[in-house]
Amino acid sequence: EFKKESLSNIIEKGLREEAKDATIKLLEQKDPLLIVNQDIVSALDLVGEKYEKGYIFLPQLIQSAETVKESLEVIKNRLSKDSFSQISKGKIILATVKGDIHDIGKNIVKVLLENYGFQVIDLGKDVPKEKIVEEAIKHNVKLIGLSSLMTTTVKNMEETIKALKEVNSNFEVMVGGAVLNKDYADMICADYYARDAKEAVTIAKKIFG
Ligand code: B1M
């Protein structure tokens, strides 16, 4: 009998066309956030490991990332359907810092924050600190969320935090991304560290009361 591939296998193999259907099927049995944590993130971790060890190369890494985007599109639609609130609970800026084009994690954080009723101003990826400062002032936000996935771009994160605090010491900065941890976040003077998207929501709730 023909057996369908699991979502994590589909991501590992980068089978883009199969991702949507597999996600829809999986949503029949599983909570969307569980799918993100158990199926999507773990598959990407494995792909990242294989890439690091030289078992696969950049085109395959890209193919897997594209496959994840298909899957997240389905998950995003499902989450916005179950959205809890239409009234904005607070404005938050999100950006992946300069030099870094990884945005899958940031986009998941965005979906979840919006799902919980926060208004997200998404500045995208590879965003220079000047732009982040400018937008934070323009939109008069209290919370700025920064993402960084590479050891080489944590420095830019640190500089962005410094620039933000220089113009307004009341700006609060939340950071996240696979290379970070609480100690590292403290070291670069971030106010909050979120290990995952759920923690980002907890922090936002705390800040906006
Ligand atoms: Co790249 N990549 N990549 N990559 N990539 C990593 C990060 C790497 C660890 C892989 C490896 O070698 N093991 C490595 C970095 C090594 C290091 O610095 N330590 C790496 C490298 C080297 C590179 C390139 C330099 C490769 C090259 O060109 N030779 C290049 C970088 C280009 C650049 O940025 N200038 C590159 C490119 C890419 C792709 C484009 C192919 C693709 C990204 C596509 C995209 O994002 N649109 C990609 C991918 C997919 C990965 C891995 C495999 C997966 C990342 C991911 O999306 N994870 C990654 C290996 C890994 O992480 N295991 C790797 C899933 C995502 C949901 O997790 O982003 O951690 P994450 O987000 C989580 C939490 O961290 C948290 O919540 C999220 C949900 O739970 N979180 C926040 C994240 N941001 C937050 C912000 C918050 C709060 C929580 O508040 C604001």
Side-chain angles (χ1 to χ4, degrees), residues 30-55:
K30 239 181 179 176
D31 176 74
L33 280 184
L34 265 187
I35 298 179
V36 169
N37 286 331
Q38 292 179 353
D39 301 271
I40 298 179
V41 174
S42 54
L44 276 176
D45 281 346
L46 199 67
V47 169
E49 227 171 87
K50 283 186 182 166
Y51 170 75
E52 197 172 20
K53 291 186 175 144
Y55 299 150

mmCIF file of all heavy atoms in Angstrom, residues 30-55:
data_model
loop_
_atom_site.group_PDB
_atom_site.id
_atom_site.type_symbol
_atom_site.label_atom_id
_atom_site.label_comp_id
_atom_site.label_asym_id
_atom_site.label_seq_id
_atom_site.Cartn_x
_atom_site.Cartn_y
_atom_site.Cartn_z
ATOM 1 N N LYS A 30 -3.862 17.237 15.248
ATOM 2 C CA LYS A 30 -2.919 17.904 16.134
ATOM 3 C C LYS A 30 -3.139 19.392 16.185
ATOM 4 O O LYS A 30 -3.509 20.002 15.193
ATOM 5 C CB LYS A 30 -1.517 17.662 15.563
ATOM 6 C CG LYS A 30 -0.570 16.956 16.477
ATOM 7 C CD LYS A 30 0.752 16.825 15.764
ATOM 8 C CE LYS A 30 1.767 16.143 16.604
ATOM 9 N NZ LYS A 30 3.009 15.936 15.882
ATOM 10 N N ASP A 31 -2.849 19.979 17.330
ATOM 11 C CA ASP A 31 -2.899 21.415 17.522
ATOM 12 C C ASP A 31 -1.834 22.090 16.632
ATOM 13 O O ASP A 31 -0.720 21.587 16.514
ATOM 14 C CB ASP A 31 -2.600 21.652 19.014
ATOM 15 C CG ASP A 31 -2.530 23.096 19.351
ATOM 16 O OD1 ASP A 31 -3.605 23.710 19.403
ATOM 17 O OD2 ASP A 31 -1.412 23.609 19.545
ATOM 18 N N PRO A 32 -2.179 23.240 16.019
ATOM 19 C CA PRO A 32 -1.222 23.893 15.121
ATOM 20 C C PRO A 32 0.140 24.183 15.764
ATOM 21 O O PRO A 32 1.185 24.003 15.130
ATOM 22 C CB PRO A 32 -1.907 25.202 14.731
ATOM 23 C CG PRO A 32 -3.266 25.197 15.310
ATOM 24 C CD PRO A 32 -3.497 23.915 16.023
ATOM 25 N N LEU A 33 0.119 24.593 17.036
ATOM 26 C CA LEU A 33 1.401 24.911 17.672
ATOM 27 C C LEU A 33 2.239 23.681 17.952
ATOM 28 O O LEU A 33 3.465 23.722 17.929
ATOM 29 C CB LEU A 33 1.167 25.676 18.975
ATOM 30 C CG LEU A 33 0.877 27.150 18.792
ATOM 31 C CD1 LEU A 33 0.750 27.811 20.149
ATOM 32 C CD2 LEU A 33 1.981 27.813 17.982
ATOM 33 N N LEU A 34 1.546 22.565 18.209
ATOM 34 C CA LEU A 34 2.280 21.308 18.400
ATOM 35 C C LEU A 34 2.964 20.909 17.095
ATOM 36 O O LEU A 34 4.092 20.415 17.095
ATOM 37 C CB LEU A 34 1.319 20.200 18.811
ATOM 38 C CG LEU A 34 1.150 19.924 20.295
ATOM 39 C CD1 LEU A 34 0.290 18.680 20.487
ATOM 40 C CD2 LEU A 34 2.512 19.727 20.961
ATOM 41 N N ILE A 35 2.276 21.148 15.992
ATOM 42 C CA ILE A 35 2.869 20.828 14.685
ATOM 43 C C ILE A 35 4.124 21.667 14.468
ATOM 44 O O ILE A 35 5.164 21.154 14.049
ATOM 45 C CB ILE A 35 1.847 21.070 13.544
ATOM 46 C CG1 ILE A 35 0.642 20.142 13.721
ATOM 47 C CG2 ILE A 35 2.500 20.869 12.175
ATOM 48 C CD1 ILE A 35 -0.445 20.300 12.668
ATOM 49 N N VAL A 36 4.031 22.959 14.818
ATOM 50 C CA VAL A 36 5.206 23.822 14.660
ATOM 51 C C VAL A 36 6.375 23.265 15.476
ATOM 52 O O VAL A 36 7.479 23.061 14.961
ATOM 53 C CB VAL A 36 4.887 25.283 15.098
ATOM 54 C CG1 VAL A 36 6.165 26.108 15.180
ATOM 55 C CG2 VAL A 36 3.911 25.929 14.119
ATOM 56 N N ASN A 37 6.116 22.982 16.747
ATOM 57 C CA ASN A 37 7.216 22.561 17.617
ATOM 58 C C ASN A 37 7.714 21.145 17.346
ATOM 59 O O ASN A 37 8.904 20.892 17.339
ATOM 60 C CB ASN A 37 6.809 22.683 19.083
ATOM 61 C CG ASN A 37 6.784 24.130 19.515
ATOM 62 O OD1 ASN A 37 7.538 24.948 18.970
ATOM 63 N ND2 ASN A 37 5.922 24.473 20.437
ATOM 64 N N GLN A 38 6.768 20.228 17.129
ATOM 65 C CA GLN A 38 7.178 18.820 17.012
ATOM 66 C C GLN A 38 7.587 18.423 15.600
ATOM 67 O O GLN A 38 8.466 17.597 15.417
ATOM 68 C CB GLN A 38 6.042 17.906 17.463
ATOM 69 C CG GLN A 38 5.769 18.018 18.945
ATOM 70 C CD GLN A 38 4.630 17.121 19.380
ATOM 71 O OE1 GLN A 38 3.950 16.511 18.550
ATOM 72 N NE2 GLN A 38 4.401 17.048 20.680
ATOM 73 N N ASP A 39 6.916 18.975 14.615
ATOM 74 C CA ASP A 39 7.182 18.507 13.258
ATOM 75 C C ASP A 39 8.072 19.458 12.468
ATOM 76 O O ASP A 39 9.052 19.044 11.865
ATOM 77 C CB ASP A 39 5.856 18.290 12.521
ATOM 78 C CG ASP A 39 4.983 17.283 13.249
ATOM 79 O OD1 ASP A 39 5.108 16.093 12.959
ATOM 80 O OD2 ASP A 39 4.220 17.686 14.148
ATOM 81 N N ILE A 40 7.732 20.750 12.522
ATOM 82 C CA ILE A 40 8.453 21.696 11.662
ATOM 83 C C ILE A 40 9.830 22.063 12.222
ATOM 84 O O ILE A 40 10.851 21.887 11.554
ATOM 85 C CB ILE A 40 7.589 22.961 11.433
ATOM 86 C CG1 ILE A 40 6.299 22.548 10.706
ATOM 87 C CG2 ILE A 40 8.367 24.005 10.642
ATOM 88 C CD1 ILE A 40 5.327 23.669 10.436
ATOM 89 N N VAL A 41 9.863 22.532 13.468
ATOM 90 C CA VAL A 41 11.152 22.982 14.020
ATOM 91 C C VAL A 41 12.150 21.817 14.097
ATOM 92 O O VAL A 41 13.320 21.965 13.746
ATOM 93 C CB VAL A 41 10.966 23.655 15.395
ATOM 94 C CG1 VAL A 41 12.297 23.982 16.022
ATOM 95 C CG2 VAL A 41 10.154 24.942 15.251
ATOM 96 N N SER A 42 11.674 20.649 14.507
ATOM 97 C CA SER A 42 12.625 19.532 14.633
ATOM 98 C C SER A 42 13.160 19.104 13.259
ATOM 99 O O SER A 42 14.331 18.750 13.134
ATOM 100 C CB SER A 42 12.004 18.358 15.383
ATOM 101 O OG SER A 42 10.803 17.995 14.772
ATOM 102 N N ALA A 43 12.301 19.178 12.237
ATOM 103 C CA ALA A 43 12.780 18.825 10.895
ATOM 104 C C ALA A 43 13.830 19.831 10.435
ATOM 105 O O ALA A 43 14.876 19.454 9.887
ATOM 106 C CB ALA A 43 11.611 18.790 9.909
ATOM 107 N N LEU A 44 13.583 21.114 10.710
ATOM 108 C CA LEU A 44 14.564 22.139 10.316
ATOM 109 C C LEU A 44 15.864 21.988 11.092
ATOM 110 O O LEU A 44 16.952 22.217 10.553
ATOM 111 C CB LEU A 44 13.977 23.532 10.544
ATOM 112 C CG LEU A 44 13.105 24.080 9.423
ATOM 113 C CD1 LEU A 44 12.506 25.404 9.817
ATOM 114 C CD2 LEU A 44 13.890 24.233 8.123
ATOM 115 N N ASP A 45 15.759 21.609 12.361
ATOM 116 C CA ASP A 45 16.975 21.384 13.152
ATOM 117 C C ASP A 45 17.833 20.286 12.513
ATOM 118 O O ASP A 45 19.051 20.411 12.406
ATOM 119 C CB ASP A 45 16.616 20.975 14.587
ATOM 120 C CG ASP A 45 16.231 22.186 15.430
ATOM 121 O OD1 ASP A 45 16.492 23.318 14.984
ATOM 122 O OD2 ASP A 45 15.659 21.997 16.516
ATOM 123 N N LEU A 46 17.147 19.232 12.091
ATOM 124 C CA LEU A 46 17.855 18.121 11.467
ATOM 125 C C LEU A 46 18.509 18.554 10.155
ATOM 126 O O LEU A 46 19.671 18.231 9.882
ATOM 127 C CB LEU A 46 16.861 16.976 11.216
ATOM 128 C CG LEU A 46 17.478 15.614 10.989
ATOM 129 C CD1 LEU A 46 18.144 15.121 12.257
ATOM 130 C CD2 LEU A 46 16.401 14.623 10.552
ATOM 131 N N VAL A 47 17.757 19.308 9.375
ATOM 132 C CA VAL A 47 18.283 19.807 8.099
ATOM 133 C C VAL A 47 19.504 20.695 8.350
ATOM 134 O O VAL A 47 20.536 20.575 7.667
ATOM 135 C CB VAL A 47 17.169 20.596 7.337
ATOM 136 C CG1 VAL A 47 17.745 21.338 6.152
ATOM 137 C CG2 VAL A 47 16.064 19.652 6.878
ATOM 138 N N GLY A 48 19.397 21.568 9.369
ATOM 139 C CA GLY A 48 20.509 22.451 9.714
ATOM 140 C C GLY A 48 21.752 21.674 10.117
ATOM 141 O O GLY A 48 22.870 22.016 9.742
ATOM 142 N N GLU A 49 21.514 20.608 10.873
ATOM 143 C CA GLU A 49 22.630 19.761 11.314
ATOM 144 C C GLU A 49 23.320 19.084 10.125
ATOM 145 O O GLU A 49 24.545 19.045 10.046
ATOM 146 C CB GLU A 49 22.057 18.668 12.217
ATOM 147 C CG GLU A 49 22.797 18.457 13.509
ATOM 148 C CD GLU A 49 22.008 17.504 14.394
ATOM 149 O OE1 GLU A 49 22.214 16.290 14.240
ATOM 150 O OE2 GLU A 49 21.169 17.993 15.180
ATOM 151 N N LYS A 50 22.483 18.568 9.216
ATOM 152 C CA LYS A 50 23.038 17.899 8.033
ATOM 153 C C LYS A 50 23.826 18.872 7.173
ATOM 154 O O LYS A 50 24.853 18.532 6.608
ATOM 155 C CB LYS A 50 21.902 17.301 7.189
ATOM 156 C CG LYS A 50 21.331 16.026 7.762
ATOM 157 C CD LYS A 50 20.339 15.448 6.772
ATOM 158 C CE LYS A 50 19.689 14.195 7.302
ATOM 159 N NZ LYS A 50 18.518 13.829 6.501
ATOM 160 N N TYR A 51 23.317 20.101 7.109
ATOM 161 C CA TYR A 51 23.996 21.130 6.321
ATOM 162 C C TYR A 51 25.346 21.452 6.952
ATOM 163 O O TYR A 51 26.371 21.526 6.272
ATOM 164 C CB TYR A 51 23.125 22.384 6.242
ATOM 165 C CG TYR A 51 23.841 23.573 5.661
ATOM 166 C CD1 TYR A 51 24.077 23.651 4.288
ATOM 167 C CD2 TYR A 51 24.332 24.585 6.480
ATOM 168 C CE1 TYR A 51 24.765 24.720 3.748
ATOM 169 C CE2 TYR A 51 25.021 25.664 5.950
ATOM 170 C CZ TYR A 51 25.233 25.721 4.585
ATOM 171 O OH TYR A 51 25.926 26.779 4.063
ATOM 172 N N GLU A 52 25.338 21.593 8.277
ATOM 173 C CA GLU A 52 26.558 21.935 9.000
ATOM 174 C C GLU A 52 27.627 20.860 8.813
ATOM 175 O O GLU A 52 28.810 21.151 8.679
ATOM 176 C CB GLU A 52 26.218 22.089 10.478
ATOM 177 C CG GLU A 52 27.255 22.814 11.269
ATOM 178 C CD GLU A 52 26.744 23.098 12.686
ATOM 179 O OE1 GLU A 52 25.797 22.408 13.126
ATOM 180 O OE2 GLU A 52 27.277 23.976 13.331
ATOM 181 N N LYS A 53 27.164 19.592 8.791
ATOM 182 C CA LYS A 53 28.111 18.484 8.643
ATOM 183 C C LYS A 53 28.505 18.238 7.193
ATOM 184 O O LYS A 53 29.312 17.352 6.911
ATOM 185 C CB LYS A 53 27.496 17.214 9.233
ATOM 186 C CG LYS A 53 27.381 17.300 10.748
ATOM 187 C CD LYS A 53 26.912 15.991 11.336
ATOM 188 C CE LYS A 53 26.933 16.072 12.860
ATOM 189 N NZ LYS A 53 25.797 15.313 13.431
ATOM 190 N N GLY A 54 27.884 18.967 6.280
ATOM 191 C CA GLY A 54 28.244 18.812 4.872
ATOM 192 C C GLY A 54 27.562 17.645 4.172
ATOM 193 O O GLY A 54 27.975 17.246 3.088
ATOM 194 N N TYR A 55 26.519 17.077 4.791
ATOM 195 C CA TYR A 55 25.780 15.983 4.137
ATOM 196 C C TYR A 55 24.832 16.531 3.071
ATOM 197 O O TYR A 55 24.494 15.847 2.116
ATOM 198 C CB TYR A 55 24.953 15.175 5.149
ATOM 199 C CG TYR A 55 25.768 14.511 6.231
ATOM 200 C CD1 TYR A 55 25.226 14.288 7.491
ATOM 201 C CD2 TYR A 55 27.073 14.087 5.983
ATOM 202 C CE1 TYR A 55 25.965 13.683 8.496
ATOM 203 C CE2 TYR A 55 27.818 13.489 6.979
ATOM 204 C CZ TYR A 55 27.256 13.289 8.235
ATOM 205 O OH TYR A 55 27.982 12.700 9.225
#
